[in-house]
């Protein structure tokens, strides 16, 4: 169990980092760092003697958080950027129809269940609130038809934390 990153290395976080309850000043489950952000390794430690944990300073966000190795890549690794992650709250920018019938109205709110297509154009499976008496209201929606809900769009203003 050797660390692959060292002090000062620049890394990219590949998963959304949410508060697991150990980040003071933020509620449990709150988004701390969105995938794709760059940070610098500030320290390396171990958790339960079998996991390498990196203290990563995300300078642009003003936050230092602990990350697992599986949550980070170096800058030479190819990166596929996408706007949404599983669990994100989104609104649809246009009405969606199936068989000529509108099944989701413009402005409807939903939650990303997962990514359906990892190649351009990206598309996501979105679960919308029940409309029109449909039992199952999850649809595959192209990224271009979605936007992040305003409440989720702004990252929390949280102070620096040392691990």
């Amino acid at each position: 169990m050797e660390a692959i990153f060292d002090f000062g290395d620049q890394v990219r976080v590949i998963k959304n980092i949410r508060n697991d309850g150990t980040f003071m000043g933020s509620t449990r489950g709150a988004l701390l760092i969105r995938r794709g952000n760059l940070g610098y390794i500030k320290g390396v430690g171990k958790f339960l003697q079998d996991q390498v944990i990196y203290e990563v300073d995300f300078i642009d966000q003003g936050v230092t958080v602990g990350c697992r190795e599986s949550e980070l890549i170096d800058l030479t690794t190819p990166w596929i950027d996408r706007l949404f992650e599983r669990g994100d709250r989104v609104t649809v920018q246009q009405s969606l129809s199936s068989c000529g019938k509108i099944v989701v109205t413009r402005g409807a709110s939903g939650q990303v269940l997962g990514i359906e297509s990892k190649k351009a154009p990206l598309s996501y499976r979105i679960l919308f609130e029940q409309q029109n008496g449909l039992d199952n209201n999850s649809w595959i929606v192209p990224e271009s038809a979605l936007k992040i809900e305003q409440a989720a769009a702004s990252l929390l203003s949280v102070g620096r934390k040392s691990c």
Side-chain angles (χ1 to χ4, degrees):
M1 174 181 58
E2 294 295 318
I4 62 172
F5 302 114
D6 199 3
F7 179 80
D9 288 352
Q10 190 173 22
V11 293
R12 181 183 310 273
V13 66
I14 59 172
K15 297 178 182 177
N16 283 341
I17 305 296
R18 296 187 180 275
N19 184 4
D20 62 1
T22 60
F23 196 93
M24 301 301 291
S26 173
T27 59
R28 184 182 202 103
L31 181 64
L32 299 174
I33 298 293
R34 185 168 274 289
R35 72 185 294 279
N37 281 302
L38 302 177
Y40 293 89
I41 302 296
K42 189 174 176 181
V44 180
K46 292 186 179 159
F47 178 69
L48 296 177
Q49 299 178 355
D50 67 349
Q51 293 182 46
V52 176
I53 302 293
Y54 297 93
E55 185 180 9
V56 183
D57 190 1
F58 295 94
I59 296 170
D60 291 344
Q61 291 75 25
V63 177
T64 299
V65 296
C67 297
R68 293 181 180 92
E69 208 163 82
S70 63
E71 297 170 327
L72 303 170
I73 59 173
D74 65 23
L75 295 186
T76 62
T77 303
W79 171 246
I80 300 169
D81 196 15
R82 60 182 185 251
L83 296 177
F84 310 109
E85 283 292 313
R86 183 176 181 268
D88 283 349
R89 299 288 307 170
V90 294
T91 54
V92 67
Q93 299 184 76
Q94 61 199 45
S95 294
L96 305 176
S97 63
S98 178
C99 300
K101 179 181 175 186
I102 292 180
V103 291
V104 178
T105 56
R106 181 176 188 258
S109 176
Q111 185 172 21
V112 177
L113 296 178
I115 187 167
E116 289 290 323
S117 168
K118 294 184 180 180
K119 297 179 182 176
L122 295 175
S123 60
Y124 303 85
R125 178 158 301 273
I126 310 295
L127 177 63
F128 293 98
E129 281 89 29
Q130 295 297 328
Q131 293 184 359
N132 303 325
L134 296 172
D135 290 335
N136 181 1
N137 207 20
S138 76
W139 301 93
I140 297 174
V141 182
E143 187 174 77
S144 60
L146 299 168
K147 67 178 179 177
I148 196 91
E149 280 192 359
Q150 284 297 16
S154 60
L155 289 176
L156 297 173
S157 297
V158 292
R160 287 176 139 18
K161 177 187 177 198
S162 296
C163 298

